[in-house]
Amino acid sequence: CGNIIGEPLIVHKLTSSKEDYRAQVAELLRVVGLNPYMADRFPHEFSGGQRQRIGIARALALKPQLLMLDEPVSALDVSVRAQILNLLMDLQEEFKITYIIVSHDLGVLERICDRIAVMYLGQIVELTESRKLFAEPGHPYSRSLLSAIPVADPRAQVDRVILKGDAPDPANAPPGCKFSGRCPLTEQRCIETEPELIEIGASHHVRCHLATPWN
């Protein structure tokens, strides 16, 4: 484990001695909530949540200003997911790090992100602040995604937006709106002309012919 965390320090020549190397690795372990003595353990001796902490410690070794996280908690149990998300938010506050997070879990994004870009077929269809997206989604695809979020109350009435058909082949995408083949609001112009990403509100951009720009 210690070698995994400390490798960036060696590659980038950020350690002056073995003692300094061990001290930096120990500090990185402490920062992510692990005991420094765990540096001598093998990877198979750690749980999934602990392995994720080790990955975060390794990423912090170079003191980055920006971290890209691809599905950072998707493989973890619910309770462990909450711990890792809390850790990420604490580290962001402590080290002033900017995160770019890729995830299919909108619950995770709502909790940790300031701004969210919704993508369909490799194209941004909506970009706005997190609270705005969940309160007033402007794109039909965004509305369908939000309607699919599970609700804990089995008696709750949820207005699901069910999409028909399958996503088109990215290598042979339709000429107009990429979402036109599945959108319940499709018009002829959607099929023929690709929409621009327009601003419909303050810091709220949507790629849709039916979106109304703000004044």
Side-chain angles (χ1 to χ4, degrees), residues 118 124-128 133 136-143 195-201 203-213:
V118 179
I124 292 178
V125 296
E126 185 159 6
L127 174 63
T128 186
L133 179 70
E136 298 180 50
H139 195 279
Y141 183 56
S142 301
R143 290 194 284 271
E196 299 284 340
L197 188 65
I198 62 172
E199 189 172 18
I200 64 169
S203 301
H204 192 170
H205 296 77
V206 174
R207 190 184 302 276
C208 181
H209 287 304
L210 303 179
T212 304

Side-chain angles (χ1 to χ4, degrees), residues 8 37 39 52 64 88 104 132 145-146 149 152 158 205-206:
Y37 75 80
Q52 201 72 333
L88 288 172
H104 291 84
K132 286 185 180 179
L145 291 177
L146 293 174
I149 296 177
V158 180
H205 296 77
V206 174

Side-chain angles (χ1 to χ4, degrees), residues 89-158:
M89 289 188 288
D90 290 342
L91 293 174
Q92 183 181 43
E93 180 67 23
E94 181 176 355
F95 298 108
K96 309 304 179 186
I97 305 172
T98 297
Y99 295 142
I100 296 178
I101 301 176
V102 179
S103 179
H104 291 84
D105 191 330
L106 290 173
V108 168
L109 299 181
E110 182 182 20
R111 180 173 178 183
I112 200 171
C113 293
D114 298 314
R115 290 173 59 79
I116 297 177
V118 179
M119 300 187 70
Y120 184 81
L121 216 66
Q123 189 178 66
I124 292 178
V125 296
E126 185 159 6
L127 174 63
T128 186
E129 296 174 5
S130 176
R131 60 179 180 81
K132 286 185 180 179
L133 179 70
F134 284 85
E136 298 180 50
H139 195 279
Y141 183 56
S142 301
R143 290 194 284 271
S144 70
L145 291 177
L146 293 174
S147 76
I149 296 177
V151 178
D153 186 356
R155 296 168 296 183
Q157 297 295 318
V158 180

Side-chain angles (χ1 to χ4, degrees), residues 168-185:
D169 180 0
N172 188 29
C177 175
K178 303 297 183 287
F179 188 58
S180 62
R182 308 183 72 191
C183 180
L185 305 176

